[in-house]
Amino acid sequence: MKKRKLIYVIHSLGVGGTEVALLSAIPKLCENFDFQLIVLKKYDQRLVRNFSKNELRSIIVFSGIFSYIHAFTYLRKQCPQIIISSLWKGALLALAQKKMNKSVQYIHFVHSSKFFHILDRMVSIQALKKADVIFCDSMASKEFVFPYTKGQPMKIISFLRFQNPVVFENKQSISPRGLYVGRIHPCKRLDRLVLFVNQLIVSGIDFYVDLYGRDDGAMLDIVQLIKRNHIQNNIVFKGEVEMSEVKDLFAQYDFYIQTSEAEGMAMSVVEAMQHGLVCILTNVGEIRNYAKPGENAIIIDEPFEEHMSTAVNACQELITKPELYNKIANNAFTSFKSKEIFADSLVNTILNSASI
């Protein structure tokens, strides 16, 4: 039986949750569809070094000031039966294709519970209205975009990149070390992470955090804030990390910190919990549905600055009480046990979608 032509459009590839999840699904997508991924910006080839030749051939890159024009021309020639877009920059191209070819089945994938600027809002709302099916990475994302839809089917896709490790291992001592993996973007509010770490240090906890990810517009401001607080030795930028190596990082740390102002599923948080780390989190997006304060995570409520001290005290207690740390970490570990992984969820939902 001939495979259906499926093209997925995304602006870039990196260590953000959306991109990492998509990369993890490429082998499964190639197996089940005549699949191509259109990327509208050059990316680090290390991200795909473990792909097969067939999987590498499925990734088509357009870059430069005419990338959208060239990609649009290419799309018209390909005549896909199904087109999927992630994020507003990918939606621009998919919308143009849908306008030229009404028969193409258009799926728009939502990954956040917030519009970040006027262009995001305008393009995303059009995508939500024109899509035949809407995929969401969480209930939070689904609830956010529902008022902008026109009654199309809406499907929640599991955002687990891999299954839990086989067993949870208790720790005999807890180190004051944490990490963050993701974009260095203003919406991630790493300024709050800096303030939190500084407060830990002021409170007598010599805490260290490594930041992994690409600069997406906030690097300079965060570096300057770190310098103003004289904590350059405590917060270190490690650059981007390969998709295949992310899960290997978790064994080096005991805490994960994410202080975003908006999220969808927050895949890096989920993966940290799957590996038994205690996560220190803001209560945004889908996080509020799976991270429970004092049970499987430490939550910093809004206003952030007014609730930092509570989280500092909780962190200090866990560092000095390994038995309490292990209890919360084990609860985090079991939160996503036996859940379907992203690649299977994505492919199965495409295959089972009624309109496709």
Side-chain angles (χ1 to χ4, degrees):
M1 183 177 174
K2 189 176 181 181
K3 295 179 181 178
R4 283 173 289 181
K5 184 75 173 181
L6 167 62
I7 292 183
Y8 200 122
V9 185
I10 194 166
H11 179 248
S12 61
L13 293 175
V15 298
T18 300
E19 300 113 310
V20 169
L22 176 56
L23 286 168
S24 74
I26 285 179
K28 187 90 173 179
L29 288 165
C30 288
E31 179 184 332
N32 286 273
F33 299 96
D34 179 6
F35 173 74
Q36 287 185 324
L37 172 65
I38 290 183
V39 185
L40 298 165
K41 185 179 179 181
K42 289 183 178 179
Y43 64 92
D44 190 337
Q45 291 295 312
R46 291 178 300 172
L47 292 167
V48 296
R49 70 175 183 179
N50 293 321
F51 280 9
S52 69
K53 289 183 179 180
N54 182 52
E55 290 158 5
L56 287 172
R57 282 195 296 268
S58 73
I59 305 174
I60 313 297
V61 181
F62 297 90
S63 61
I65 59 174
F66 299 112
S67 61
Y68 279 84
I69 295 173
H70 294 152
F72 176 69
T73 302
Y74 178 83
L75 258 176
R76 287 194 66 184
K77 293 178 181 178
Q78 292 300 307
C79 298
Q81 295 166 280
I82 307 167
I83 188 165
I84 305 177
S85 64
S86 273
L87 311 174
W88 74 272
K89 290 180 180 178
L92 274 173
L93 194 59
L95 282 167
Q97 176 68 15
K98 180 66 175 177
K99 186 173 183 179
M100 296 296 296
N101 180 10
K102 296 290 194 295
S103 66
V104 67
Q105 296 294 321
Y106 175 31
I107 300 170
H108 182 57
F109 207 144
V110 181
H111 302 276
S112 182
S113 56
K114 177 183 178 179
F115 297 129
F116 294 104
H117 46 70
I118 187 64
L119 281 175
D120 181 15
R121 179 185 177 88
M122 290 172 59
V123 177
S124 296
I125 289 176
Q126 283 302 305
L128 291 166
K129 292 183 181 300
K130 299 298 183 182
D132 299 293
V133 183
I134 297 165
F135 287 178
C136 300
D137 70 356
S138 62
M139 182 59 71
S141 296
K142 180 179 178 180
E143 291 172 349
F144 170 66
V145 299
F146 178 76
Y148 305 101
T149 63
K150 298 175 67 177
Q152 307 100 310
M154 300 182 73
K155 312 286 186 178
I156 295 179
I157 308 299
S158 170
F159 232 53
L160 300 188
R161 190 159 59 96
F162 42 71
Q163 297 288 356
N164 280 36
V166 177
V167 295
F168 173 78
E169 296 183 5
N170 286 309
K171 297 181 178 182
Q172 301 303 311
S173 61
I174 311 305
S175 65
R177 295 187 61 84
L179 80 159
Y180 162 84
V181 182
R183 296 178 299 144
I184 314 301
H185 186 279
C187 75
K188 298 301 183 179
R189 293 301 305 271
L190 294 177
D191 58 308
R192 301 202 290 197
L193 183 151
V194 174
L195 293 176
F196 179 70
V197 172
N198 187 59
Q199 188 62 47
L200 285 167
I201 295 169
V202 170
S203 301
I205 305 170
D206 198 17
F207 205 92
Y208 296 86
V209 178
D210 290 334
L211 307 177
Y212 295 87
R214 69 169 186 264
D215 181 14
D216 209 355
M219 178 75 78
L220 181 60
D221 289 340
I222 301 305
V223 168
Q224 291 175 343
L225 182 59
I226 291 170
K227 288 181 178 178
R228 286 200 298 272
N229 285 278
H230 307 291
I231 53 175
Q232 296 95 317
N233 293 331
N234 293 82
I235 301 180
V236 178
F237 287 95
K238 295 287 191 175
E240 291 195 64
V241 61
E242 294 181 45
M243 176 185 69
S244 60
E245 296 177 357
V246 170
K247 63 181 179 180
D248 297 326
L249 291 174
F250 297 120
Q252 304 171 36
Y253 303 89
D254 289 343
F255 295 90
Y256 187 91
I257 306 181
Q258 183 137 323
T259 52
S260 303
E261 65 181 17
E263 286 289 345
M265 185 65 181
M267 190 178 74
S268 58
V269 173
V270 171
E271 293 186 359
M273 293 177 70
Q274 284 183 283
H275 283 80
L277 272 67
V278 171
C279 295
I280 303 166
L281 310 165
T282 44
N283 204 21
V284 295
E286 189 69 8
I287 289 172
R288 63 172 60 94
N289 293 327
Y290 62 75
K292 307 301 179 184
E295 182 179 326
N296 63 2
I298 295 174
I299 300 296
I300 307 176
D301 290 319
E302 295 290 351
F304 183 88
E305 290 78 6
E306 294 181 14
H307 291 89
M308 275 199 306
S309 60
T310 301
V312 167
N313 293 337
C315 188
Q316 187 171 29
E317 184 178 22
L318 295 187
I319 291 171
T320 57
K321 296 180 179 178
E323 69 283 358
L324 181 57
Y325 175 96
N326 286 321
K327 178 181 178 182
I328 293 176
N330 189 38
N331 288 340
F333 175 82
T334 58
S335 296
F336 299 96
K337 205 168 184 181
S338 302
K339 299 285 186 180
E340 189 176 33
I341 64 171
F342 176 80
D344 292 340
S345 181
L346 177 63
V347 168
N348 291 337
T349 306
I350 295 171
L351 293 172
N352 296 327
S353 292
S355 64
I356 297 174

